[in-house]
Structure formats: structure tokens, C-alpha cells
Amino acid sequence: PPAHSHSDWIGPPDRHSNLRPVIFYVPPEESALERRLREARQEAQASNQRFWARHNRAFRQEKEEFIYSRLKAKGLEMRDESGHKATLNAEEMADFYKDFLSKNFKKHLQYNRDWYKHNFRITFLMGQVALVRALRWLRWRKKNVEQ
Amino acid sequence: MSAARRCCPPRALAGLFVWRLRSTGVPQIPCRFMRLYHVANNRLITFQYFNFLKRMYVTQCNKDLRQRAKPKSDSTVSPFHELQQLDQEKKVVHKISPVSPVHQSESETSSRNELREMKSAAETEDSVIQVGAESKEDRQWKEMKLRLDDLPGILARLSKIKLTALVVSTTSAGFAMAPVPFELTCFLLASLGTGLASCAANSVNQFFEVPFDSNMNRTKNRPLVRGQISPLLAVCFAASCGIPGIVLLTLGVNPLTGALGAFNIFLYTCCYTPLKRMSIANTWVGAVVGAIPPMMGWTAATGSLDAGALLLGGILYSWQFPHFNALSWGLREDYSRGGYCMMSVTHPGLCRRVALRHCLALIGLSMVAPVLNITTWTFPIISLPINLYISYLGFRFYRDADRSSSRKLFFCSLWHLPMLLLVMFTCKKSVLEKEDKGDLPGGSHETAMEIQLP
């Protein structure tokens, strides 16, 4: 993002976590409230990034392992004659999906709780910041009108 | 396909109107005529509306089919609505699982979903078109600044406007089926209120699901995921739609409808959305969410929840299952990775059984309609073919449990519901007929007229 910009910038989805990273703009006269908001957003972003990158990586890995083991059981190689990757059909993959979901259930519950907490806190802080800014603007306008 | 569907020229409608006139044996009394005119008008409006919706479905289906022909590198996968780009890793992943083409087709089709499945239907005609353009833009860094000219589009996507339109249409179907004379203002207020409530619920749902949406193919392009709008604005928008919507329903229509609307919002945002990640019971809750709008339409017209409302709700409730279960069959990978507890992933046998069970239930419910005096006996007879067809597809899905049967069932459900509602409406038992029958043998037409006059 350009140096003169006064707003946050959001980027393309991350390769591992599929989340879009945000670069936050730090205004020179940032109030304590605004700083708390920014830090909360940064923290949430980092925590989300960690969780999903790790989770997706585990998914991909376990999926490969599953396919490998199944293909082996069937006596096939990972790649067939034409060099394409051998695949399993949807029904066979279904066992893996079911397994993966149940294995990660607790992890997801915990993550849900964290995410909801982050989300509400960030939104609440955003509301406070917006309110403060609005009041400041009204006061400034009143002063201008009086002058 | 859409050309064929753009059927029913006005002549046919006029013919229907004349037939109705004759069948109810209406003499040329002005007031009766006015009433009939209103009824026929309503039919005209609703019919055209349904026709429009059918066209919408079919257009989306067509787009979907066209999209599938595109090479994989360009195509996007979106389980429910939006299209996405495949990046390198996804390409590998998709090569491994042949399930992905299913994602593409299903995602691009909008499926009706009241507040869940119905929702799937609407979303992305624009996404389909924008695919190519978006892929380049997606890779760039964007300024997180709200542009006012983008705002309507963003809010439309935030509120899942097409799904909301479908929800409103089920509400109007409920209103139309109620055995009371048609009142335009009430109808419009009820539709508007329901639409606002649905917008609010959808926005809150998107607000809650940002990281999950970014990880699932069909929802990757939602406004909050892409940072086009801040969460605060999403919440404010939801509040500014929901509160006036519910107030409008409570004060402008009746408190019962308002209460149902508020309850539905609560059910969707606070029960269904968190439940999606906790237990498979979310499907049943979601089906209730979908069943409530027609009941709201009924209560808006009559002011009370009677058997007719429950029947309509029941029909929508049963419809949700073949629709959603068939759709979710192709999305198992995304659900598994995203951590959603869906029947298709955890209890596949149950998934198919439930879908079939509810297809059959639809037949049963259609039989009940004339018993409750909502429609004439022609309704079960005319609707039997389509109900049998969807049950047959449900049975095939149950037996084969593969991609093609699930897709067939899903596509069938898309046209089955509008057609069923349409047939129901045309078979509606006329209000006048009933009152005629209730007259004393020697009673005059004037007495009947007096009863009808407000």
C-alpha cells in the first residue's frame, strides 16, 4: 500500500489460511481507544491466520496420507501411466471427510468461542470509535458555526 | 429452457379468469365482480411473479451449465453462491477429488433456500459474470475505503438480496393462499416487512461467519470477507433493516406476524448459525426457518395461525430437506474442512433417508390441503405428477448416493417448489364459493354480498 494512504489496505487471500491480510493504518494522533481497536483487530487477524493455516495444512496432509493409504490398499500407485495423480472417488473420500470433521470437532468449538469473542469486541470498539469521532465532528462543526 | 418457461401468455390467463367467473356462477353484480377482479388480479400478479422467478431459476441453471463447459483453470467453485478462483493448491486438491465439478455446478446454481437453503438460490448472477474480471482484481491489494457508489451492490450482496426475494415470494404465496379477500396494502406491507427482516437476518449471518466463509469456495466473495465493508456497518445495516421491518410488520400488519418475523430472525441468527458448527440438528432448525415466511404471509392476511398456515409451513419445511441434502452432498469436502456439522458429512445414510422421507411427505401434505378447505380436490391430483417425480429422484438419490443423483434431485427441487405453489394457488378454493355454499337455500345474493362487504 502507498505511503500516503490514510486507510487500511486488504490483500489477496493467503495461500494457507484463505484469509485476507489487512495492513492497518496508524494515524499520527491515534487515541487510546483507536489504538485498542487496532490492536484487537491485529490480534484477531493473527490468531485467525494461525488457526486456519495450521488447520488447512493438516487437512491437506491428512488427505494425502489417506489417499496414499487407500491407493496402496488397492494396490495402485500415486500416479498412473499417463503421469496424472490417481484419485479416489467421492464415496471413498467421504470416509475421510467424516473422520476429519469428528477429529477436529473440539478444536472448532474452541475456535468458535474465540472468534465470536474477537468479533464482538472488535465491533463494539468500532462502534465506540465511530461514536467518539461523530461527537468530535459535531463539536468541531458547532465551533465553526459559532465563529 | 427459459423461452419455454416464459409461457402462459396473457390470453391463457384471461381464459382462466373467464373460467373462474363461469365456475363460480357470478351474475353481473358490481361488487362481486370487483371482488373477483381483485382475486384474478392477485393471481395475475403472483403468477407473473412466479414466472419471473422461474425464469430466474432457469437462467441461473443455464448459466451454471454454461459455466461448467469452461476450462477448469478459469472456473470458479462456489458451493452455494459465489464463484472463486482456484489457486495452485486448490487445483491439486481438486484434481484429487473428482467431487469438485459438483461444487462448481451446484455452487453456480442458485438454490432456493428460505433463510438457508433458499438462500443459496439467489446469490450470484453477478458473480458468474464477474468471474474473469475478479480474478485479476482479487490478487491485488485494495484500499479499505467505502465507496458510496459501490454501496448498493455491496449491501445487496450482504443481505443476499435474491434469496430475500425468494423468501418474500413464499410469503406472498402464503398471503395469497389465505381464504380472505385480497388487500393490496396489507400484502405490500407484509412483503416489505418480511423482506427487511430477511435482509437483516442474512447480514447478521454473514457478520458471524467471516473466517468460515473465506475458507469455503462458494462464499469466498462475500462483502465482509473481501473487506468491502466493515463489520460495524454490517451490524448497523442489519439493525436498520430489521428493526423497521419488524415494527412495520407489528404495527402495519398485525402483532402476530411481527412476532413471527422477530422469532425467525432470532432462530436464524442465534440458533441456526451457531448450530451449523455444533450439531447436525441445524438442518431441522433451518427447515423451520424456511417454513415460517409463508406462515407469516398467512397470518398477515388472516391474523391467526390456523391449519392452513401450518400446512403451508409444513410443505416448505418438507421441501427444504431434499433441496438442502441434495446440495450438501456435493459440498462435503468444504464442510469437512470448514468445520460444519452437516448430515451429508457425518451421517450420509441419514441424509439420504431424510431427503426421501420428506419427498414422500410432500405427497401426503398435498393430500391434506383439500381436507382443510384450502384447495379443491384437483390440487392433489394435479400436483401428484411433480410430487411423484421428486420422490422418484429422492429414491434414486437414496439408492445410488452419488453425485449425479444428488444433482438431479437438487435441480428438480428448484422448479418443483414454484410449480407446486402455483398449482396450489390455481386450485385455491374460492372465498366466494365457500360463502355461497354457506348461504341458506332461500338466501339471496344480496345477503351474501352484505356479509362480504367490509
Side-chain angles (χ1 to χ4, degrees), chain A residues 94-147:
Chain A
D95 292 332
F96 167 68
Y97 297 141
K98 180 172 169 183
D99 205 37
F100 186 80
L101 188 66
S102 39
K103 270 205 302 235
N104 288 279
F105 185 65
K106 281 231 170 60
K107 207 167 77 167
H108 276 296
L109 282 184
Q110 180 61 37
Y111 172 73
N112 284 350
R113 262 194 292 266
D114 292 339
W115 157 246
Y116 272 67
K117 272 202 294 241
H118 279 304
N119 203 16
F120 280 125
R121 193 166 78 219
I122 289 172
T123 310
F124 184 67
L125 283 170
M126 273 185 175
Q128 281 182 309
V129 166
L131 203 64
V132 163
R133 281 197 192 140
L135 288 172
R136 212 186 305 159
W137 181 77
L138 279 171
R139 245 178 282 143
W140 173 84
R141 229 189 51 165
K142 211 170 73 170
K143 211 164 46 180
N144 265 11
V145 167
E146 280 171 0
Q147 276 175 0

Side-chain angles (χ1 to χ4, degrees), chain B residues 92-348:
Chain B
V92 172
V93 166
H94 282 289
K95 274 211 191 104
I96 292 177
S97 65
V99 171
S100 43
V102 185
H103 291 292
Q104 287 178 339
S105 44
E106 262 138 28
S107 40
E108 277 136 1
T109 326
S110 317
S111 48
R112 211 153 160 286
N113 186 353
E114 266 35 76
L115 290 178
R116 185 173 46 98
E117 294 123 6
M118 290 287 216
K119 282 188 179 169
S120 0
E123 278 208 303
T124 53
E125 260 180 14
D126 27 317
S127 306
V128 176
I129 304 164
Q130 286 165 10
V131 172
E134 276 179 1
S135 31
K136 279 235 174 79
E137 283 181 29
D138 253 8
R139 296 193 214 276
Q140 296 169 350
W141 279 81
K142 296 257 195 60
E143 194 176 3
M144 278 176 92
K145 200 180 194 151
L146 187 63
R147 283 174 192 81
L148 278 176
D149 30 339
D150 289 340
L151 193 61
I154 293 174
L155 289 181
R157 260 174 293 155
L158 183 69
S159 61
K160 299 193 214 170
I161 195 86
K162 288 178 197 165
L163 178 58
T164 299
L166 295 171
V167 169
V168 168
S169 71
T170 49
T171 307
S172 52
F175 192 97
M177 289 306 301
V180 290
F182 181 72
E183 284 174 39
L184 188 64
T185 43
C186 192
F187 174 72
L188 290 175
L189 286 176
S191 302
L192 183 63
T194 311
L196 288 173
S198 170
C199 286
N202 288 332
S203 308
V204 174
N205 170 265
Q206 290 200 20
F207 166 72
F208 280 155
E209 304 251 287
V210 178
F212 313 116
D213 283 346
S214 25
N215 271 283
M216 285 188 53
N217 283 336
R218 84 182 159 91
T219 52
K220 252 186 181 182
N221 287 321
R222 286 186 171 169
L224 280 172
V225 172
R226 293 171 71 186
Q228 292 172 316
I229 199 176
S230 77
L232 178 69
L233 201 58
V235 173
C236 290
F237 174 71
S240 65
C241 278
I243 297 177
I246 300 297
V247 165
L248 185 68
L249 286 175
T250 316
L251 299 178
V253 181
N254 60 52
L256 180 60
T257 314
L260 278 175
F263 176 65
N264 213 17
I265 294 182
F266 167 74
L267 204 61
Y268 183 64
T269 58
C270 304
C271 298
Y272 170 70
T273 303
L275 258 182
K276 273 205 294 198
R277 312 189 57 80
M278 296 202 287
S279 126
I280 60 171
N282 68 74
T283 314
W284 283 266
V285 173
V288 174
V289 168
I292 289 186
M295 291 165 67
M296 281 168 69
W298 183 285
T299 58
T302 64
S304 67
L305 264 179
D306 22 324
L310 295 176
L311 176 75
L312 269 176
I315 289 182
L316 263 293
Y317 177 81
S318 282
W319 178 83
Q320 308 285 341
F321 289 99
H323 177 83
F324 183 69
N325 286 357
L327 179 62
S328 70
W329 195 256
L331 306 178
R332 285 179 284 182
E333 173 174 357
D334 270 354
Y335 283 148
S336 163
R337 189 166 56 88
Y340 284 109
C341 297
M342 298 292 174
M343 267 196 281
S344 57
V345 182
T346 57
H347 298 80

Side-chain angles (χ1 to χ4, degrees), chain B residues 361-372 377 379-381 383-384 387:
Chain B
L362 279 172
I363 302 180
L365 285 169
S366 305
M367 299 284 174
V368 175
V371 174
L372 295 176
W377 276 99
F379 174 61
I381 298 170
S383 65
L384 196 63
N387 285 340

Side-chain angles (χ1 to χ4, degrees), chain B residues 350-408:
Chain B
L350 177 69
C351 179
R352 301 190 322 268
R353 269 202 309 275
V354 164
L356 179 61
R357 214 185 289 164
H358 283 273
C359 285
L360 298 172
L362 279 172
I363 302 180
L365 285 169
S366 305
M367 299 284 174
V368 175
V371 174
L372 295 176
N373 267 336
I374 300 170
T375 64
T376 59
W377 276 99
T378 53
F379 174 61
I381 298 170
I382 301 181
S383 65
L384 196 63
I386 50 176
N387 285 340
L388 280 179
Y389 183 60
I390 199 175
S391 304
Y392 165 69
L393 289 180
F395 175 69
R396 287 287 302 275
F397 176 51
Y398 173 72
R399 205 193 48 193
D400 303 339
D402 62 356
R403 192 189 116 200
S404 76
S405 54
S406 71
R407 279 183 51 234
K408 282 211 196 92

